[in-house]
Amino acid sequence: MSFINRKERKIPDLNTSSLPDLIFTVLFFFMIVTHMRSVPVNVLFRTPEGNQLTRVTKRASTTYIFIGKPLKQLQATMGDTIVVQVNDRFVPLDQLAEVMKAEKERMEAKDNTEMTVVLKADRDVPVGIVADVKKALREANTLRVHYSASKNSAPSSKK
């Protein structure tokens, strides 16, 4: 019986020359598909400070409400009164409940149940206006409200 002289078989090397093209294609796909939401702020506001803050994670079902005085460019037409901005448009306080109901209806069913309102109010806004906004949100059955604040630079020493 004779044995045939066999050479070791090697697995051919993997060709990775097209790998950068594939990575950039996937990167561009995710850049295009990802929904970046930005709301132009037309309200002057300085957020209150807090020390127990968390981030909003689900942005698709988030509606932003800004409360404060209009920017200097808009003060000529709107005056120096406190205004309410829902996402990118100004809303009179007496129509806020209807606008929020319309926002809920505009969303998909899964986002509708998880709708979150982020309330960004100037620190000098009277509490009565914030209470009126909260009342309008209750009328619209929008009960998940987050209050925006900036982080304290130094912890409070009061006990």
Side-chain angles (χ1 to χ4, degrees), residues 49-111:
E49 294 180 351
N51 55 11
Q52 296 180 353
L53 306 177
T54 58
R55 290 197 173 274
V56 174
T57 54
K58 184 141 181 154
R59 302 233 182 235
S61 61
T62 304
T63 301
Y64 294 92
I65 296 179
F66 302 95
I67 306 171
K69 294 182 179 180
L71 293 175
K72 291 190 189 291
Q73 302 91 332
L74 300 171
Q75 283 182 357
T77 58
M78 303 187 77
D80 201 21
T81 60
I82 305 278
V83 293
V84 177
Q85 177 185 341
V86 177
N87 287 335
D88 58 349
R89 63 179 187 225
F90 291 110
V91 175
L93 195 54
D94 58 347
Q95 296 176 7
L96 183 60
E98 291 84 22
V99 169
M100 292 308 295
K101 286 177 187 175
E103 283 284 324
K104 274 185 99 165
E105 291 171 3
R106 181 188 58 82
M107 290 183 177
E108 295 178 11
K110 66 177 182 162
D111 292 336

Side-chain angles (χ1 to χ4, degrees), residues 24-36:
F24 283 117
T25 303
V26 171
L27 176 68
F28 287 133
F29 172 76
F30 283 118
M31 287 174 55
I32 291 170
V33 172
T34 302
H35 178 68
M36 302 298 271

Side-chain angles (χ1 to χ4, degrees), residues 67 93 96 119 127-140 142-143 145 147:
I67 306 171
L93 195 54
L96 183 60
L119 192 60
V127 177
I129 294 177
V130 176
D132 292 342
V133 169
K134 288 172 42 179
K135 182 180 176 188
L137 292 174
R138 278 194 301 271
E139 289 174 13
T142 308
L143 305 176
V145 180
Y147 298 93

